[in-house]
Amino acid sequence: MQALLKLSRAIDWLNGIVGRWVIWLILASTVISGVNASVRKAFNTSSNAYLEVQWYLFAAAFLLAAGYTLLHGEHVKIDVFYSRFSRRTQNWIDIFGFTLFLLPVAIAVLWYGIPFFLQGWRSGEMSSNAGGLIRWPVYLMMPLGFALLLLQGVSELVKRIAFGMGLIPDPAVKKTEKTAEEELAEEIRRLAERKDKA
């Protein structure tokens, strides 16, 4: 079990890193949206490429952060019912849910998503919109995001089993740490301070 817990910590570390970097995609999408709107208003011109890159970035952020979201227990649960059970019962519900729902669905999406991405990559499929972008980069986000989600599902399953065996503290208890938004704001502030010093 110790080897599995070590694997779980490595997966948690990976999704933690990915989650901290993915937040920058939201900022990039917001900046592109603002620039696109400004150019459209000021010069009465725009490009479908700007619109498409916004949804590419949003799709990437949404899919790549799914594992990070699971790591921090932020996925939607039916808390009205779930919260009424004892922690032991909740743990069994989590084990049941990860084993019978999350992992099989993630594997199924990978099973169909990888060939879908490869087909788009080999064909060089382009957007049908004038000035649109090549499609395979956004198709890649589906298998990549679900691979990270699958790995985090395995990690969470290992932690729930270890908790049930009394080997680790409750993994569902949230540790107080900074949110991704707070980390992004601090990083922006640090970059601005470095620029001022230079």
Side-chain angles (χ1 to χ4, degrees), residues 1-16 71 150-163 168 171:
M1 193 63 175
Q2 291 306 317
L4 289 174
L5 285 169
K6 188 173 182 180
L7 172 66
S8 174
R9 285 191 294 274
I11 293 168
D12 291 353
W13 174 84
L14 172 65
N15 272 310
L71 170 64
L150 175 65
L151 286 172
Q152 194 59 48
V154 169
S155 173
E156 296 303 314
L157 181 59
V158 166
K159 288 187 280 191
R160 295 314 188 278
I161 292 169
F163 170 66
I168 62 170

Side-chain angles (χ1 to χ4, degrees), residues 121-142:
W121 182 43
R122 282 192 292 262
S123 70
E125 181 183 345
M126 295 290 294
S127 168
S128 58
N129 297 319
L133 303 174
I134 195 162
R135 289 276 172 94
W136 71 261
V138 77
Y139 292 165
L140 174 61
M141 294 304 109
M142 186 170 37

